[in-house]
Amino acid sequence: MNALNRLLAPLAAEFAGNARLRWGVWLILGIVLFYFVLSRSERVVAVHEEYAAEAERLMKAETLLERRDWPELLEAERKTHRELTAVFWQAETEGLAQAKLQAALNGVVEGLRLLDAQVRPGLSRPVPDLPGIWRVQIRLDAQYRPGVELRLIHAVATYSKKLIVDHLDLYRRRRQDSRLALSLSAYFVGVEAERG
C-alpha cells in the first residue's frame, strides 16, 4: 500500500496544483462518456428499427391469416406456375437439354442454306438462386450468303419456345466468304445434375 501511495502522491499533487491538467482529464472523461452514450443510442436505434420491421412482418402475417380467399389465390398461383412452366423448356438431364436445344437450332436454320454449319454445345449451368432452372447454351458456326443473317434472326425471334441470342458475330474473309458465329441460350426446368 505504501508503494502505491508513494506512486500516487506526486500525481495527486500535480493534479491539485495544475488547472490545465484537471481540465484535460475532465475533457477526456467527457469525451469518453459522450462516445459511450452515442454508441448506446446507435444500438438502441438499430434494435428499434429491427423491432419495427419484425412488428410489420407480424402484422402482415396476421392480415394474411384473416383472408378467406385462399382457394382462389391457390388456383391463381397454379395458373401462373403453368404459364411460367410453359415458357421454359423441359428436360430431365443436361444432355437432353443440349439435344433439345440442338434440335431447335437445326429447325431454325433449316432452309437457310448455310454452308459448312457446325453446331457445338456451349456452357450449361444452374441459374443461381433458382433451384431446378438451368441455362443451356449452344453455338453455331457457318458460312452464309449475305441476307441470310436477317432471316436467321427472324427465325430465332419467332421460334415457338423462348431462345435468347447471347452473341452473334458476322464477318467476311473474302468477297464471297461470309461467316457467322451464333450463341443461343435457353432456360430449362427440371434438369437434374448428371453424376459423373
Side-chain angles (χ1 to χ4, degrees), residues 57-106:
R57 284 182 34 202
L58 177 63
M59 188 173 62
K60 286 180 181 178
E62 288 173 347
T63 303
L64 286 175
L65 286 174
E66 294 172 1
R67 291 183 76 157
R68 300 291 177 230
D69 59 346
W70 285 108
E72 293 85 12
L73 289 174
L74 179 61
E75 186 53 40
E77 182 61 32
R78 285 180 178 154
K79 180 182 176 195
T80 303
H81 177 40
R82 285 189 301 268
E83 290 171 356
L84 281 175
T85 303
V87 171
F88 288 103
W89 293 67
Q90 305 286 320
E92 292 77 32
T93 65
E94 183 182 341
L96 284 174
Q98 283 284 349
K100 285 185 178 187
L101 192 54
Q102 184 171 354
L105 182 59
N106 288 336

Side-chain angles (χ1 to χ4, degrees), residues 45-161:
V45 167
V47 168
H48 177 69
E49 288 174 354
E50 186 178 326
Y51 170 77
E54 289 297 322
E56 184 178 343
R57 284 182 34 202
L58 177 63
M59 188 173 62
K60 286 180 181 178
E62 288 173 347
T63 303
L64 286 175
L65 286 174
E66 294 172 1
R67 291 183 76 157
R68 300 291 177 230
D69 59 346
W70 285 108
E72 293 85 12
L73 289 174
L74 179 61
E75 186 53 40
E77 182 61 32
R78 285 180 178 154
K79 180 182 176 195
T80 303
H81 177 40
R82 285 189 301 268
E83 290 171 356
L84 281 175
T85 303
V87 171
F88 288 103
W89 293 67
Q90 305 286 320
E92 292 77 32
T93 65
E94 183 182 341
L96 284 174
Q98 283 284 349
K100 285 185 178 187
L101 192 54
Q102 184 171 354
L105 182 59
N106 288 336
V108 165
V109 300
E110 186 177 319
L112 293 181
R113 289 184 271 164
L114 296 175
L115 306 172
D116 191 26
Q118 297 174 353
V119 177
R120 296 185 315 244
L123 293 174
S124 296
R125 61 181 173 264
V127 177
D129 300 325
L130 291 174
I133 308 284
W134 279 60
R135 183 174 183 165
V136 178
Q137 192 177 58
I138 197 160
R139 297 179 49 87
L140 167 71
D141 293 305
Q143 185 177 354
Y144 73 98
R145 293 203 171 131
V148 170
E149 67 276 12
L150 296 176
R151 290 181 24 222
L152 174 64
I153 292 171
H154 181 265
V156 169
T158 58
Y159 193 76
S160 60
K161 291 266 191 184

